[in-house]
Amino acid sequence: DNSKQNRIETMAPVEVSATVAATPETIWQTCFEPMKWESWDPDLKEMKDVSGAGGCEEGATCIFAMNDGSNIPIILSNVEKNKNVDFKGCVFGGIVRAEGKVMISPVDSSTSKIDYSFEMKGFVGSIVAKLKKKEVVEGTQGGLDNMVKMSEEAQKEK
């Protein structure tokens, strides 16, 4: 029965958003352009093997070295500087998949909005997400909170 399997594999993404006292350019330069996502993602120990010139660009690849010791190969897509980036990765032949999206939009000349969503997919990924829902929610919200704090601090220095 396909409908039963689809219910098992699907879990809504964790979606968080915040208003930031910083421009989209400052947010991008602070959180994404250096590809030092570990500075804002509380679950990420480091980014390894960043492809190309090491920038946040379409098709860039890297390894997310997680705090729990796992390594997740990641590819970036839908990259528009100062606007958005999607990241996707999978391990164990795709039975655990991670997908995230960050969208940055201007509110006015000195304020922006960040929308951040993250979800775990795949047969095992969805089970992990259900068992560790609190951790997934806290990690996503923690990442957003850090993006806001870092971006606002960087904006004050300009």
Side-chain angles (χ1 to χ4, degrees):
D1 178 36
N2 274 351
S3 62
K4 189 174 187 181
Q5 184 176 356
N6 288 342
R7 275 200 304 277
I8 291 171
E9 290 192 24
T10 306
M11 182 181 168
V14 176
E15 296 177 339
V16 293
S17 63
T19 303
V20 191
T23 64
E25 294 78 15
T26 298
I27 296 166
W28 190 266
Q29 291 162 4
T30 304
C31 300
F32 300 101
E33 196 54 51
M35 290 292 276
K36 293 283 186 190
W37 295 16
E38 65 271 18
S39 62
W40 58 263
D41 186 328
D43 299 316
L44 187 58
K45 183 178 174 187
E46 70 175 310
M47 292 179 77
K48 301 191 292 193
D49 301 331
V50 178
S51 67
C56 186
E57 55 203 32
E58 187 71 25
T61 59
C62 64
I63 306 289
F64 279 7
M66 308 305 289
N67 289 330
D68 67 8
S70 61
N71 288 306
I72 305 172
I74 296 289
I75 186 163
L76 304 185
S77 62
N78 198 26
V79 179
E80 282 186 82
K81 188 175 181 173
N82 305 325
K83 290 183 179 178
N84 44 260
V85 59
D86 296 354
F87 58 93
K88 290 183 182 182
C90 67
V91 288
F92 307 118
I95 60 171
V96 177
R97 297 193 313 272
E99 293 185 13
K101 295 177 183 291
V102 178
M103 290 189 304
I104 305 165
S105 49
V107 173
D108 58 37
S109 63
S110 62
T111 312
S112 304
K113 182 178 180 215
I114 301 174
D115 294 294
Y116 179 32
S117 70
F118 178 80
E119 69 182 311
M120 293 182 72
K121 294 179 165 182
F123 184 72
V124 173
S126 60
I127 294 168
V128 170
K130 285 179 181 145
L131 294 175
K132 297 194 171 272
K133 183 166 174 66
K134 182 173 183 263
E135 290 90 339
V136 172
V137 170
E138 287 174 355
T140 306
Q141 183 65 54
L144 177 69
D145 292 346
N146 290 336
M147 282 186 244
V148 170
K149 182 174 182 246
M150 290 169 55
S151 298
E152 288 182 344
E153 286 172 4
Q155 190 68 49
K156 284 177 192 167
E157 293 171 11
K158 292 192 177 221

